[in-house]
Amino acid sequence: MHKEIVKIEFIMENTECIEIERRYLGRFQINDIRKNISVAAKAMSRHETCDHFSMAAYRSGDEVYGQFGDDSSLERKYNRLKVGDIVSINIIYDDQTEEEVYVTWTGESNYKNESQNTYINNYGDLFIVINKNKKIEEEFNFDLDDEASLDYMLFSNC
């Protein structure tokens, strides 16, 4: 059975969540996914991790949202994702199922992931790469501020 992605939910270090609908995604890629099982005391945990995540999201998806559902504390989604503290990605499908994948986290900080590279171009499009060995320029090897390239390479369907 074929499932379609409806939206992507980013879970941050502080448990805050930000959703981006599928229609705004020009590229979405998760590679090298591994299943992990761990037991501590009497609890068993199963989760998946990935070594590589990359995404390009079109400018129209940069909506204002209330942090933790609080409308008195408004922020733009893409600016919040730029902070660099994505812990996991929850993929939500059209059959109401979900799949959570944890990303690579490097560095000494518990609040900022050194493996996360984020860029917002002059038009407001968002680019994220989470990989300890790869940066934005290596993943998206064309001019991210050239609108003709962006339309051709990423956003022709947005």
Side-chain angles (χ1 to χ4, degrees):
M1 182 178 171
H2 181 71
K3 298 194 292 188
E4 293 287 329
I5 295 173
V6 175
K7 59 186 166 185
I8 306 303
E9 180 181 50
F10 294 94
I11 295 90
M12 276 26 118
E13 175 278 327
N14 66 353
T15 70
E16 188 175 3
C17 299
I18 294 179
E19 294 179 348
I20 297 179
E21 293 179 36
R22 164 62 187 103
R23 65 185 167 143
Y24 300 121
L25 299 178
R27 180 196 265 177
F28 176 81
Q29 188 173 21
I30 299 177
N31 294 341
D32 304 318
I33 299 173
R34 294 181 314 280
K35 289 188 183 283
N36 302 286
I37 300 172
S38 57
V39 177
K42 294 182 181 181
M44 185 168 88
S45 170
R46 293 176 187 239
H47 62 276
E48 294 181 335
T49 58
C50 70
D51 290 334
H52 178 85
F53 169 79
S54 64
M55 181 195 77
Y58 193 63
R59 58 199 79 145
S60 300
D62 188 17
E63 301 164 337
V64 174
Y65 79 105
Q67 293 178 304
F68 296 107
D70 179 7
D71 288 339
S72 67
S73 176
L74 298 177
E75 186 173 1
R76 298 205 70 82
K77 288 182 177 183
Y78 292 0
N79 284 339
R80 176 60 186 90
L81 289 168
K82 198 173 178 182
V83 170
D85 64 339
I86 296 171
V87 173
S88 66
I89 295 115
N90 194 27
I91 306 161
I92 302 163
Y93 296 98
D94 59 355
D95 66 356
Q96 310 306 316
T97 60
E98 299 181 11
E99 183 178 5
E100 186 173 24
V101 179
Y102 288 84
V103 299
T104 297
W105 188 286
T106 58
E108 298 296 317
S109 174
N110 290 326
Y111 306 105
K112 180 146 177 52
N113 184 356
E114 291 180 14
S115 290
Q116 182 178 335
N117 295 274
T118 309
Y119 177 68
I120 300 173
N121 70 9
N122 295 332
Y123 304 106
D125 304 316
L126 173 70
F127 302 87
I128 299 174
V129 173
I130 304 174
N131 183 315
K132 65 182 176 183
N133 299 315
K134 204 169 199 182
K135 304 293 181 210
I136 295 275
E137 310 79 44
E138 297 165 300
E139 181 69 17
F140 302 98
N141 55 357
F142 52 91
D143 186 354
L144 297 179
D145 287 303
D146 177 49
E147 194 160 30
S149 293
L150 292 169
D151 287 343
Y152 177 73
M153 299 296 288
L154 297 173
F155 299 127
S156 60
N157 294 329
C158 293

